[in-house]
Amino acid sequence: LIWLGAIVTLVVALMMSFTGSILPWSQDVYAQTQVGSALAEHIPLVGGWLKRFLLGGQFTGPLTLGRAFGFHVAVFPAVTTLLLLTHVGLISSDAMRPDESGRGTIAGYPDLVVRHATLWVLLLAVLVTLATFFPHDVGQSLDLAKPSPGAAHPAWYFLWIYAMIRLAPAEMLGIPATRFIVIVGTLLLLVLPWLPFVDRRGSRVTPVLAVVALVGVLGLTLYALV
């Protein structure tokens, strides 16, 4: 349950990042939104529905901005708060479970709660500091009469997919490269929730694969930025 809760929280965080990236509603953001929704459309079975859900319709427009604002400031923060509280509760319950000596590894309250609260406050301080001293450039206001930027790309957290598409040939196994990569990526993400059930003993293979995947994503992201 702790692992599954973390996976759901990660998905909500990515969706919140997507809605937040739309809010500046600039010329670059408009192009990024079109590229990101086009990638989502290639997801098997739910791609078309997901694109319409993200955009508030078939095309990027005012409804997209309204929907992004509503989800970003109300729905996703509420869901994230509920998920985090549940996650901490599960971790506390697991930490207080008696070990072989009959004692819990750590007291859920106040020890574990204080540790989590301290970490969250530190992360919030770092976030506020970065936002204060390194503000994000909003860019030019949206003007639909102007052409979209020639080198449009998705938001930074999807740049690794963008890099794979750039490196791939036009077709892979008879399928357009973009669709093939999104399909394979979706299938790999669907494997994540099942890892604790497949690797119940916690072998060293899973952490190694996680590190390799993380290094690969970071490397592809840096390649896309160059």
Side-chain angles (χ1 to χ4, degrees):
L1 289 176
I2 293 173
W3 174 259
L4 293 177
I7 295 295
V8 175
T9 304
L10 175 61
V11 173
V12 174
L14 288 174
M15 295 183 69
M16 193 171 182
S17 299
F18 180 80
T19 55
S21 67
I22 296 175
L23 297 185
W25 205 236
S26 63
Q27 202 74 18
D28 291 336
V29 166
Y30 183 81
Q32 290 178 5
T33 304
Q34 289 182 308
V35 174
S37 61
L39 288 176
E41 191 174 16
H42 292 296
I43 297 177
L45 302 179
V46 298
W49 173 86
L50 182 59
K51 178 182 178 180
R52 291 191 297 271
F53 176 79
L54 293 174
L55 299 182
Q58 192 65 34
F59 304 100
T60 306
L63 289 177
T64 305
L65 180 60
R67 171 160 295 196
F69 180 80
F71 274 88
H72 191 76
V73 304
V75 178
F76 288 150
V79 173
T80 302
T81 301
L82 180 61
L83 287 172
L84 289 177
L85 291 176
T86 304
H87 192 67
V88 172
L90 290 172
I91 294 177
S92 301
S93 176
D94 184 67
M96 291 186 295
R97 185 179 302 166
D99 55 15
E100 296 179 356
S101 63
R103 295 181 299 177
T105 55
I106 183 175
Y109 180 83
D111 296 356
L112 193 63
V113 173
V114 170
R115 290 185 184 184
H116 277 277
T118 302
L119 178 61
W120 291 356
V121 170
L122 289 175
L123 290 175
L124 180 61
V126 172
L127 181 63
V128 171
T129 301
L130 292 175
T132 301
F133 294 100
F134 303 96
H136 180 67
D137 184 15
V138 176
Q140 297 180 352
S141 299
L142 176 62
D143 184 358
L144 294 178
K146 295 181 179 180
S148 299
H153 55 75
W156 64 267
Y157 41 86
F158 287 141
L159 282 178
W160 60 280
I161 302 179
Y162 176 71
M164 292 177 65
I165 295 173
R166 286 175 55 186
L167 293 171
E171 290 188 356
M172 302 177 71
L173 300 180
I175 303 174
T178 301
R179 182 177 295 274
F180 181 85
I181 291 172
V182 173
I183 291 175
V184 172
T186 302
L187 294 177
L188 291 176
L189 289 176
L190 291 177
V191 173
L192 284 178
W194 297 98
L195 284 180
F197 304 96
V198 176
D199 188 16
R200 297 185 64 86
R201 297 184 179 182
S203 67
R204 296 180 179 179
V205 176
T206 299
V208 171
L209 291 177
V211 172
V212 171
L214 181 60
V215 171
V217 169
L218 291 176
L220 289 170
T221 301
L222 292 175
Y223 171 80
L225 291 173
V226 174

